[in-house]
Amino acid sequence: MTKTLLVTGGGGVGKTTVSAALGVTAARAGIRTLVVTVDPARRLADALGVEELGTEPTPHPTETNLWAAMLDSSASWAAIARRHADPSVAERLVDNKFFVAATGHFPASQSYAAAEEAVNFIDAKAWELVVVDTPPSAGGIEFFTAPKQMTELVGGRLLRWLTGGRLPGRRFFFDRTARPALRIADQVLGAGLFEQVAEFLMDFRTTYDGVAHRSREIEQHFQAATTLVVTTADPSPIREAVRFFRELPGFAQRPSAVIFNRTLPDDWIDARPGRVEPELAENLRRWGAEAARQMEFRSEFANRYMTELTTIAWRSTPPTDLDALADMISSSEGFDLTKLVR
Ligand SMILES: Nc1ncnc2c1ncn2[C@@H]1O[C@H](COP(=O)(O)OP(=O)(O)O)[C@@H](O)[C@H]1O
Ligand SMILES: [Mg+2]
């Protein structure tokens, strides 16, 4: 069975880096691993030291057992339309500018597209472990609510009202009555706009059964997956991390661990500088106070949410090669992250 690790958390906390690090750790433990990212910033490719990352999983040039893929959510959308609509309808949808606009601007769409693609890789059963780096736009918990939101968008009241409940009959009705009326309106306005909107809504609606079915399957995969929340000690990612304990939808499991990334070393707290300039001593005292605040905060967090907690230290040079990535996991403190990849 393929094990899935979902790496989530607020923006910029180190999700892509931690995903890559866990991938390298697992691969080096002899586990066939795929790391999937949606990060368009090429960070995963850079961190792993591979030139090009495509939507198809590619084996790492030097690390056996390690594969990586970067999902392109706009390409994923076309794939979703092709999967869930009849071929002719799908082609029309992909070309329809309202489809492009709706899928590009609906916040859950990037997450849904990513989740669907990631689940395809899990279902392929070609890897023992799939590490999913969740998309930057999701802001964390939205990744888990995206399938439901997608189902609601496609099958929602607005769309049902506009396109009617039973499709085949409604389509006939549309062709006979509404389309000619819209054509007249379009002739007056000269843009072909109404007909295109109506066409889009009608076509989009035909994907409902497929999307609803796939959404349930995605939720089942989420239920079976291990979730890791990455955060730093800053207020905004902390707020995001807290949401995983308060608002996670019922089907999803509680996060298995919270990773405090870029933490300051505990031994800064009572570092006693020797004879140094007063300004420098003052500076060191301030950093020590910040390290103490972070440590106190972490233990408070662990107590309040009764969760496993691990820390990854802040590095003066961000990890840029496989050894540095692996070292991030092996030198992490607290909960043993390597347990999770097995
Ligand atoms: N422990 C760390 N120490 C120093 N820099 C780090 C650490 N973890 C991540 N970084 C750096 O922080 C930046 C953001 O990390 P990234 O993984 O892209 O975050 P996210 O995917 O959550 O947006 C990157 O430049 C990365 O190299
Ligand atoms: Mg990222």
Side-chain angles (χ1 to χ4, degrees), residues 198-257:
E199 190 102 69
F200 157 63
L201 292 173
M202 200 76 74
D203 286 344
F204 198 40
R205 180 92 166 87
T206 68
T207 64
Y208 178 73
D209 287 343
V211 168
H213 181 76
R214 199 62 178 148
S215 287
R216 277 194 301 278
E217 287 178 347
I218 292 170
E219 288 185 353
Q220 280 162 11
H221 277 87
F222 282 174
Q223 193 171 15
T226 299
T227 305
L228 290 174
V229 177
V230 185
T231 185
T232 61
D234 299 317
S236 158
I238 289 287
R239 270 197 298 280
E240 203 52 54
V242 165
R243 291 180 67 202
F244 279 91
F245 295 90
R246 293 198 176 149
E247 301 167 29
L248 203 61
F251 62 83
Q253 280 189 46
R254 271 170 65 87
S256 299

Side-chain angles (χ1 to χ4, degrees), residues 22-326:
L22 287 166
V24 178
T25 304
R28 291 187 171 179
I31 298 159
R32 227 177 122 87
T33 304
L34 169 66
V35 183
V36 182
T37 185
V38 196
D39 200 330
R42 284 193 37 90
R43 286 216 184 98
L44 183 72
D46 291 344
L48 291 173
V50 293
E51 285 291 307
E52 281 290 312
L53 260 190
T55 50
E56 281 303 311
T58 330
H60 190 274
T62 58
E63 192 68 44
T64 36
N65 290 321
L66 186 61
W67 271 254
M70 193 179 86
L71 304 181
D72 167 359
S73 56
S74 57
S76 305
W77 261 109
I80 287 167
R82 293 197 174 101
R83 209 152 34 229
H84 298 306
D86 287 339
S88 59
V89 175
E91 290 320 307
R92 231 184 6 239
L93 263 178
V94 174
D95 283 339
N96 188 299
K97 63 176 181 243
F98 295 100
F99 175 76
V100 177
T103 52
H105 290 88
F106 182 58
S109 73
Q110 198 193 29
S111 293
Y112 177 82
E116 198 173 283
E117 289 291 300
V119 162
N120 288 339
F121 293 142
I122 298 164
D123 284 344
K125 297 194 169 37
W127 295 275
E128 290 167 276
L129 176 71
V130 176
V131 183
V132 183
D133 168 30
T134 55
S137 69
I141 202 162
E142 276 69 25
F143 191 65
F144 292 82
T145 52
K148 185 156 177 279
Q149 286 181 359
M150 263 311 288
T151 312
E152 280 169 2
L153 171 75
V154 183
R157 235 192 274 161
L158 174 70
L159 217 54
R160 258 206 316 272
W161 181 74
L162 286 166
T163 60
R166 280 177 302 137
L167 267 172
R170 196 67 183 191
R171 179 96 213 186
F172 178 76
F173 172 78
F174 172 75
D175 282 342
R176 282 300 182 81
T177 59
R179 195 193 294 278
L182 291 173
R183 282 214 176 119
I184 293 167
D186 278 338
Q187 271 164 18
V188 176
L189 295 169
L193 199 69
F194 286 122
E195 201 180 341
Q196 271 200 54
V197 174
E199 190 102 69
F200 157 63
L201 292 173
M202 200 76 74
D203 286 344
F204 198 40
R205 180 92 166 87
T206 68
T207 64
Y208 178 73
D209 287 343
V211 168
H213 181 76
R214 199 62 178 148
S215 287
R216 277 194 301 278
E217 287 178 347
I218 292 170
E219 288 185 353
Q220 280 162 11
H221 277 87
F222 282 174
Q223 193 171 15
T226 299
T227 305
L228 290 174
V229 177
V230 185
T231 185
T232 61
D234 299 317
S236 158
I238 289 287
R239 270 197 298 280
E240 203 52 54
V242 165
R243 291 180 67 202
F244 279 91
F245 295 90
R246 293 198 176 149
E247 301 167 29
L248 203 61
F251 62 83
Q253 280 189 46
R254 271 170 65 87
S256 299
V258 174
I259 301 172
F260 275 82
N261 189 23
R262 292 205 295 254
T263 56
L264 297 178
D266 290 351
D267 54 15
W268 283 18
I269 295 171
D270 33 38
R272 298 268 172 273
R275 291 162 59 83
V276 291
E277 305 277 322
E279 290 85 8
L280 184 57
E282 171 58 16
N283 210 343
L284 289 171
R285 197 195 55 74
R286 283 213 203 112
W287 280 106
E290 173 59 14
R293 182 195 75 83
Q294 290 189 2
M295 192 174 75
E296 250 168 61
F297 183 83
R298 287 196 300 275
S299 63
E300 216 174 90
F301 189 99
N303 283 337
R304 176 172 309 177
Y305 298 106
M306 299 206 294
T307 178
E308 297 286 0
L309 212 120
T310 183
T311 59
I312 295 178
W314 178 76
R315 285 154 188 266
S316 48
T317 46
T320 47
D321 60 38
L322 296 185
D323 290 342
L325 284 170

